[in-house]
Amino acid sequence: HFGVAICPGMEESDSHVNGDFATIKAFNMNNVAVISTIMAQTVALDSYNEMVDDLLGDFAKINFTVKQTGNFTAMERERLFKVVAQNNSIFIDMVSKLGLKDRSDTAWNMSQYETVYEAMKGEFEINGRFKHIQFKLDLIQQNAKFFLEILHNQKTNTLEWIIIWLISLECILMILDMSGMGTQIMNSLPSFPSL
């Protein structure tokens, strides 16, 4: 629980915050806005941290499977794409929905609320916790990029082999046609009725 103590005789700039309560001059909508914004951000950061830890766990499973087998199964490929999408979604949500990189409108417009805002942000380590989550998201993103490049290279190699086989087949057909055997082989094949 987080409490709010009201001290009408104190100066606005003397507001005090610790882990258990905030001491403010008056309980008004501006103070409520500042305090509730930081409290919402701290709860949301806890939730996002758990989600990112789950993503790291999923990524560890993908790493383990690839380490054991040396290949991606269709399931790992699908899981990798989901991890990448969720990773991007979490980062966008933290920045846009929570406004972690934005300054409180109330604290921005009225400097007397800046003290409470900054003190609460410091007490609940909002910036540090955001950077910690961002580090984990970046780690996932870098590893995912590596695996996606491997998948791309595997697909490119497969396509190159298909092209090589098609060119080889074309060369064989051309040699057969030039030798005169192509017509004999084609005539010996069963014919299909035209539609």
Side-chain angles (χ1 to χ4, degrees):
H1 297 317
F2 187 78
V4 177
I6 301 166
C7 248
M10 70 184 285
E11 293 294 321
E12 287 285 349
S13 60
D14 291 338
S15 297
H16 173 74
V17 176
N18 65 32
D20 298 322
F21 64 92
T23 305
I24 56 177
K25 179 177 180 170
F27 194 71
N28 56 40
M29 288 309 292
N30 293 324
N31 273 322
V32 169
V34 169
I35 292 169
S36 62
T37 297
I38 298 298
M39 294 307 294
Q41 288 176 344
T42 195
V43 169
L45 281 172
D46 286 343
S47 176
Y48 283 124
N49 193 46
E50 289 177 20
M51 290 168 62
V52 171
D53 286 344
D54 290 344
L55 279 180
L56 282 171
D58 285 347
F59 210 82
K61 290 175 189 172
I62 294 170
N63 278 333
F64 180 77
T65 303
V66 173
K67 182 176 124 181
Q68 294 297 330
T69 64
N71 289 317
F72 276 104
T73 64
M75 197 163 114
E76 270 74 36
R77 208 172 291 137
E78 183 179 327
R79 192 185 302 169
L80 177 65
F81 293 142
K82 285 181 179 180
V83 166
V84 169
Q86 194 170 2
N87 186 59
N88 294 338
S89 176
I90 288 172
F91 186 74
I92 289 168
D93 286 351
M94 284 194 321
V95 173
S96 66
K97 290 182 182 175
L98 289 182
L100 289 172
K101 290 297 184 184
D102 299 333
R103 197 162 163 197
S104 164
D105 288 339
T106 305
W108 178 261
N109 293 326
M110 295 174 254
S111 62
Q112 65 266 31
Y113 300 105
E114 180 73 18
T115 304
V116 174
Y117 178 75
E118 289 300 327
M120 286 194 69
K121 218 172 163 181
E123 183 65 36
F124 289 103
E125 300 173 345
I126 299 294
N127 290 333
R129 290 166 58 208
F130 173 75
K131 285 179 183 175
H132 183 70
I133 294 171
Q134 186 178 14
F135 172 78
K136 291 178 186 180
L137 290 172
D138 287 345
L139 179 67
I140 292 169
Q141 188 175 27
Q142 289 169 0
N143 284 297
K145 186 177 179 181
F146 172 74
F147 281 130
L148 291 171
E149 285 176 5
I150 289 173
L151 285 173
H152 175 72
N153 288 338
Q154 287 176 346
K155 192 169 196 167
T156 301
N157 287 343
T158 302
L159 292 174
E160 286 173 357
W161 278 108
I162 290 171
I163 291 169
I164 289 169
W165 282 107
L166 288 173
I167 291 171
S168 299
L169 180 63
E170 184 179 359
C171 289
I172 291 170
L173 291 174
M174 186 176 63
I175 290 170
L176 288 174
D177 189 42
M178 290 172 66
S179 69
M181 293 179 63
T183 309
Q184 292 173 350
I185 292 173
M186 290 306 225
N187 289 337
S188 69
L189 293 175
S191 62
F192 296 100
S194 60
L195 297 176

